[in-house]
Amino acid sequence: DAMLPRLPTPNAAVLKRIQAQPLDYWQHVGDPLADLLATIYPIDDAEMLLKLIEYEAEQEQPLCLQFLAQESAISRWQDPRHQNELATWQAFVQQFPLAVRLAWQAGGGLRLLSQARWAGAWPGPLSPLQRFMQHLDDALLSSQLPSAETLQLMRLELAILRRDAEAAIGPNHLGVVLAQSDLATLVICLSEEMMRCLEALGVGLNPKQRAGLRHWAIGFGQGLGVESLWLASNDDEAHALQHVLLQPPSALGAPLVLPWLRMVASADTLPAAERRTLALARSLLDPLTANTLGLPHDALGSLWRKASGWVVEKGRPLAGQAPAVLNLQKKVMARWH
């Protein structure tokens, strides 16, 4: 029992309402218009596909015109009631960009890849899913909200993945690859798992920042066409959705972890980047998920996390640090080599 992820207890009424929905159905619902265009135009690169759709729209092609005109009827990003909290979250991102990146790529993103339905959609190291994740990383760290064109591009990347998976393996017991339920799981990992990982990195969010992150994740989900039922707007709904959507970790994700974390580490200029990134990932995940994904045990992870108050954002201790912090720096430096 100590090895299992410990989710917050959901509100019973909200949990009952969400569990009453036919989850299997939502695992067979994709993004119909994006999926149709990716099938009509069998192009593997989403950027090229989007340019073609834009060209066809100029020629009055109705499906392409409709795709480019699609917008969420009620976007959380446009709601004036949430602007202050959204701005607070975006200010936090600009203050702690590396912490946000690590919380997602070495924490929440790995929790997502531990899900069998997401792991099954990763065909190789150079894939639309990797490009999708890179665009998501860019969107998270940007001082601006993602543009409509960025969201269209990401929808097409997901559509290409669904198309190729169906062509390669045909219908399978997991249902449509990266369908509604999977995108809702992505949103939950973006908000709830990110909050937990930021707390573990020593830069936890205050209530206003937490609300802002949740609004950001909901707006992103709306941009990808996730039904409102699967977008949590408060703690009770978020905890209920975690219980319904997050499945036990799957070993299918294990082969993906090393290439994924090597990509993360490649942007790190400090010594022993790969070892520290792997160790940090283990320290951010629950033991069951970390073991299932095959992350090595390394004491460096806990040291790195404890030191994150100055290492994560500065890469060096600040002037006037307490002796205990300076001693910790020496321990970390010793373990780098």
Side-chain angles (χ1 to χ4, degrees):
D1 181 60
M3 297 288 284
L4 294 174
R6 296 189 178 278
L7 295 177
T9 302
N11 175 280
V14 176
L15 181 60
K16 183 177 180 181
R17 172 166 60 82
I18 291 175
Q19 286 180 324
Q21 303 300 318
L23 187 60
D24 285 348
Y25 167 75
W26 297 99
Q27 292 173 349
H28 289 77
V29 177
D31 184 358
L33 192 51
D35 291 346
L36 179 59
L37 289 172
T39 303
I40 292 174
Y41 305 112
I43 297 172
D44 292 332
D45 185 280
E47 292 186 7
M48 188 180 300
L49 177 56
L50 182 57
K51 289 177 181 177
L52 177 59
I53 290 171
E54 290 170 344
Y55 171 79
E56 291 290 306
E58 292 174 357
Q59 313 308 310
E60 305 294 325
Q61 211 286 344
L63 290 175
C64 295
L65 283 169
Q66 185 180 349
F67 176 78
L68 296 179
Q70 276 186 332
E71 291 183 6
S72 301
I74 305 174
S75 172
R76 184 61 61 106
W77 289 342
Q78 311 306 326
D79 191 328
R81 295 174 299 173
H82 307 308
Q83 295 306 304
N84 194 10
E85 291 166 331
L86 262 174
T88 302
W89 161 247
Q90 290 182 289
F92 176 89
V93 172
Q94 298 311 302
Q95 184 179 3
F96 300 108
L98 184 54
V100 171
R101 181 173 186 263
L102 291 174
W104 170 243
Q105 293 194 343
L110 286 186
R111 186 72 179 93
L112 184 69
L113 290 180
S114 77
Q115 302 295 287
R117 294 176 54 81
W118 273 91
W122 189 291
L126 297 176
S127 72
L129 182 55
Q130 184 168 338
R131 291 192 285 271
F132 173 88
M133 289 295 198
Q134 185 59 59
H135 288 137
L136 174 52
D137 190 50
D138 293 341
L140 267 176
L141 297 180
S142 174
S143 60
Q144 304 295 322
L145 292 170
S147 66
E149 184 177 4
T150 296
L151 293 171
Q152 290 162 357
L153 178 66
M154 297 175 80
R155 285 173 58 199
L156 291 173
E157 285 168 339
L158 294 170
I160 290 170
L161 280 161
R162 284 190 287 263
R163 179 199 70 196
D164 292 351
E166 185 174 348
I169 61 177
N172 64 85
H173 69 285
L174 292 177
V176 172
V177 172
L178 304 185
Q180 282 276 309
S181 57
D182 307 307
L183 299 186
T185 306
L186 165 64
V187 173
I188 280 293
C189 287
L190 266 175
S191 58
E192 312 314 306
E193 288 293 306
M194 278 272 287
M195 291 180 195
R196 182 186 60 75
C197 292
L198 286 168
E199 185 75 34
L201 286 170
V203 286
L205 304 179
N206 63 36
K208 197 170 182 180
Q209 291 163 341
R210 290 170 65 90
L213 170 54
R214 195 169 279 149
H215 295 324
W216 193 97
I218 290 173
F220 181 71
Q222 289 175 328
L224 295 183
V226 179
E227 296 284 343
S228 59
L229 171 71
W230 301 108
L231 296 173
S233 58
N234 57 52
D235 284 342
D236 286 340
E237 292 181 359
H239 297 162
L241 281 168
Q242 279 181 292
H243 278 264
V244 171
L245 292 170
L246 276 179
Q247 303 298 309
S250 166
L252 283 176
L256 312 175
V257 170
L258 192 55
W260 169 264
L261 291 179
R262 279 177 176 159
M263 181 186 71
V264 176
S266 66
D268 188 342
T269 58
L270 292 174
E274 183 176 322
R275 180 186 171 192
R276 285 186 292 100
T277 303
L278 286 167
L280 178 63
R282 170 168 277 281
S283 76
L284 291 178
L285 294 170
D286 63 90
L288 177 62
T289 301
N291 290 339
T292 304
L293 294 179
L295 291 172
H297 290 273
D298 193 330
L300 182 61
S302 60
L303 288 168
W304 187 247
R305 189 171 66 179
K306 289 173 184 175
S308 63
W310 52 271
V311 172
V312 165
E313 293 305 326
K314 305 297 181 183
R316 60 184 185 278
L318 300 177
Q321 282 283 17
V325 174
L326 296 177
N327 289 335
L328 184 56
Q329 181 199 17
K330 294 177 182 177
K331 290 182 181 179
V332 173
M333 292 298 293
R335 289 183 178 274
W336 276 346
H337 305 290

